[in-house]
Amino acid sequence: MKLRELLTNVAVIEISGDSPVEIKHLVFDSRKVEKDDVFFAISGTMVDGHQFIDMAVERGAAVIVGERLPENFSEAVVFVRVHDSSIALGQMAANFYQRPTEKLRLVGVTGTNGKTSTATLLHGLFLLLGKKSGLLSTIENRIGGEVFPATHTTPDPVRMNALFSEMVKRGCEYAFMEVSSHAIDQNRIAGLHFAGGIFTNIKHDHLDYHKTFKKYIRAKKKFFDDLPKGAFALINSDDKNGAVMVQNTAASVHTFALKKPAAFKAKILENSLQGLHLQIDGLEMHTRMIGEFNAYNLLAVYGAAVLLGEERTEVLTRVSQLPPAEGRFDFLVQKEKNLTGIVDYAHTPDALEKVLETLKALNREKAKIITVTGCGGDRDRTKRPIMAKIACEMSDKLILTSDNPRSENPDDIIREMEAGVPAESKSKVLSVTDRRQAIKVAVQLANPGDVILIAGKGHEKYQEIKGVKYPFDDKEELKICFEG
């Protein structure tokens, strides 16, 4: 593709010329630049890409896109100055792949909790409805039934548009994706065309990045601010910030709720370990999924499907057949000792509280709840004592352990969590740094009928320590302990 085609809809401040070459790749890592590539100098949170313009030129870049251009222009290279390189990258990536999301009905899901489940359930629902669809999620990316590895909640714009382009080539009509606050703030979704957006909820999270809750809300809101006219915005009206999200949107606004009046309304008739019995818009359905949080997810999925033109009764029939997303309230049963094990991705205070509330509500036999949890390193430190306090107050026994310590010392993270444990509750808290050993201890402490919650990592198949990802699967570890 020629440069002028790439610059369609891009707000250019200044351009030094026009490159006659056929552009091969769009690159924002100077180490990966090859001859005839476009290099984007991104002002990142950790590194400023403008420092590497000379390296990109030396490696043969045909075009440099940046916010500040060098004083000495090389005649062999075209320099394009823009207001924001990250926005230009998204727009040019869309152009490079022939604007694939304009050929799909793309729905984005944002919020603190429920993004993965809602996007995954939507993808599964539309496959059951006989529609070809794609998925971008924390767990995995899918084109139809084929799985592609996921490395970020929202991939970079080049990878993302390449995936959407492949979906179009394979005949997909729909696509569903998680939209993280980081991706919104970093303009990773610039250039995408959305048919709709879903807001699940917003709670305490990612303050290591956004610094304040106000900025976190603002990042989420920007997604809805940028939705085009003709799209829909479906919000959880039980969340007090739901209305804030759509204050300035051009999209048509619709609501879903369990507690307040809403366009899509549900009532929980029964909630047990056998599943949920729901009434949605006057129609009853049963699902194997458990807990109020899943009722919200299913209601959002139902509402979005109806807004996309699907028939209500058929949607509810298919929704009742959907399995839960991996690592979201996954449970195992050890029949000999009558133990129930739950593996869940809950890694925020709100998510952990919701999972424990669900377990307590379902615990009609008043069995003990043993929780194993930790907090990730190099992430929001303020939530560490909060999560320990919640887990301690809502569990009969708490084992604090490692999550993904990353560059931090796991013992330091655990100490920060321990600070949230009330003095009168310290006797029911253990600290076991090794996560594998912590799971073993939980099983050893359990008596017949008890429930063991392993929280924080869910679907993840690794543990990140000092820059290395070691194989580790909470569900497999629990299964080994149950079988041992």
Side-chain angles (χ1 to χ4, degrees):
M1 181 176 282
K2 294 292 193 294
L3 177 60
R4 288 293 172 183
E5 296 173 276
L6 278 175
L7 291 175
T8 304
N9 297 327
V10 178
V12 175
I13 300 173
E14 179 185 349
I15 184 168
S16 68
D18 191 2
S19 176
V21 303
E22 193 75 14
I23 302 300
K24 290 184 178 178
H25 307 101
L26 310 183
V27 185
F28 52 90
D29 183 341
S30 58
R31 295 167 297 182
K32 297 179 181 179
V33 173
E34 297 177 4
K35 192 176 186 310
D36 296 338
D37 288 350
V38 176
F39 172 69
F40 293 81
I42 308 289
S43 301
T45 54
M46 304 292 288
V47 178
D48 187 348
H50 292 81
Q51 300 174 22
F52 305 102
I53 288 176
D54 289 343
M55 182 187 295
V57 171
E58 288 173 10
R59 295 179 71 90
V63 180
I64 303 292
V65 179
E67 296 149 24
R68 305 181 306 277
L69 302 182
E71 293 181 6
N72 300 316
F73 282 13
S74 168
E75 292 183 4
V77 181
V78 175
F79 291 90
V80 180
R81 187 159 72 93
V82 294
H83 289 285
D84 190 310
S85 302
S86 60
I87 293 175
L89 172 60
Q91 293 168 332
M92 291 173 73
N95 291 335
F96 188 77
Y97 288 98
Q98 309 296 325
R99 308 192 71 78
T101 57
E102 293 181 4
K103 302 163 190 170
L104 296 163
R105 300 193 72 187
L106 172 63
V107 176
V109 185
T110 197
T112 304
N113 302 314
K115 294 189 299 296
T116 300
S117 293
T118 302
T120 302
L121 291 169
L122 272 166
H123 174 256
L125 170 63
F126 274 72
L127 291 182
L128 288 176
L129 289 168
K131 314 287 185 180
K132 290 185 178 180
S133 71
L135 170 70
L136 268 67
S137 82
T138 300
I139 298 176
E140 62 190 12
N141 301 320
R142 282 182 173 266
I143 299 178
E146 188 174 348
V147 177
F148 297 78
T151 56
H152 294 81
T153 301
T154 312
D156 69 77
V158 179
R159 170 70 174 153
M160 201 168 2
N161 278 280
L163 282 166
F164 286 132
S165 177
E166 190 63 28
M167 289 178 195
V168 171
K169 287 177 186 175
R170 298 194 190 193
C172 290
E173 304 168 71
Y174 299 87
F176 306 100
M177 68 177 289
E178 294 183 53
V179 180
S180 69
S181 59
H182 291 64
I184 299 166
D185 187 63
Q186 294 167 12
N187 298 309
R188 274 185 262 152
I189 58 172
L192 301 185
H193 180 81
F194 287 92
I198 299 171
F199 169 72
T200 59
N201 52 64
I202 193 162
K203 306 294 179 183
H204 185 291
D205 197 21
H206 297 308
L207 298 194
D208 56 316
Y209 177 88
H210 295 288
K211 305 306 179 189
T212 68
F213 191 56
K214 186 176 180 180
K215 288 181 179 178
Y216 181 41
I217 290 175
R218 192 184 304 150
K220 295 288 189 189
K221 181 179 179 296
K222 186 178 184 297
F223 171 56
F224 295 94
D225 289 348
D226 293 342
L227 285 178
K229 188 177 180 180
F232 68 80
L234 177 61
I235 61 167
N236 176 0
S237 58
D238 284 342
D239 188 293
K240 63 182 180 182
N241 288 298
V244 174
M245 294 293 142
V246 291
Q247 284 174 343
N248 305 109
T249 189
S252 61
V253 178
H254 307 265
T255 56
F256 68 94
L258 295 179
K259 298 164 186 173
K260 293 181 179 179
F264 300 101
K265 177 79 174 175
K267 180 181 180 182
I268 297 176
L269 302 177
E270 186 179 2
N271 182 15
S272 71
L273 280 173
Q274 282 66 54
L276 282 163
H277 184 191
L278 300 173
Q279 185 183 71
I280 298 181
D281 285 352
L283 299 171
E284 293 187 21
M285 64 159 285
H286 185 273
T287 172
R288 288 177 288 158
M289 289 177 230
I290 299 164
E292 184 183 76
F293 57 93
N294 269 321
Y296 277 108
N297 296 337
L298 291 167
L299 187 54
V301 167
Y302 166 76
V306 171
L307 291 170
L308 287 168
E310 299 302 313
E311 198 274 322
R312 291 172 185 257
T313 305
E314 177 69 6
V315 169
L316 284 181
T317 301
R318 295 303 184 184
V319 164
S320 67
Q321 301 168 4
L322 292 170
E326 184 185 5
R328 269 63 177 177
F329 220 86
D330 260 358
F331 68 92
L332 298 170
V333 175
Q334 212 274 14
K335 292 182 179 179
E336 288 75 15
K337 286 186 69 177
N338 186 27
L339 299 179
T340 300
I342 308 290
V343 174
D344 195 271
Y345 188 53
H347 62 288
T348 67
D350 178 69
L352 185 59
E353 184 173 19
K354 277 186 166 53
V355 170
L356 285 165
E357 279 177 351
T358 299
L359 288 178
K360 291 180 83 69
L362 299 176
N363 188 13
R364 296 186 177 91
E365 303 299 322
K366 303 303 177 188
K368 290 182 179 178
I369 297 173
I370 302 170
T371 298
V372 179
T373 191
C375 286
D378 304 330
R379 299 293 187 269
D380 185 2
R381 294 174 60 180
T382 63
K383 69 182 181 183
R384 294 173 184 175
I386 298 169
M387 287 184 65
K389 186 174 187 290
I390 290 169
C392 182
E393 290 176 345
M394 301 185 73
S395 309
D396 297 285
K397 197 77 180 177
L398 171 61
I399 302 173
L400 299 176
T401 189
S402 298
D403 188 281
N404 290 316
R406 299 184 178 88
S407 70
E408 289 192 64
N409 183 328
D411 292 323
D412 292 340
I413 298 172
I414 291 171
R415 274 192 288 273
E416 290 186 21
M417 293 188 76
E418 288 171 341
V421 176
E424 66 275 13
S425 301
K426 290 188 183 294
S427 61
K428 68 175 184 179
V429 179
L430 292 174
S431 294
V432 181
T433 305
D434 183 276
R435 192 173 181 91
R436 182 173 286 109
Q437 187 61 31
I439 294 171
K440 286 181 183 177
V441 170
V443 175
Q444 290 167 355
L445 291 173
N447 293 313
D450 286 353
V451 177
I452 301 166
L453 170 64
I454 315 297
K457 289 177 59 59
H459 64 279
E460 291 179 351
K461 302 294 190 290
Y462 64 86
Q463 191 172 27
E464 187 176 345
I465 304 170
K466 301 295 183 185
V468 179
K469 290 185 175 180
Y470 298 93
F472 196 96
D473 185 327
D474 278 355
K475 191 171 182 179
E476 278 302 308
E477 293 299 328
L478 185 59
K479 187 177 179 182
I480 291 167
C481 292
F482 274 5
E483 293 173 350

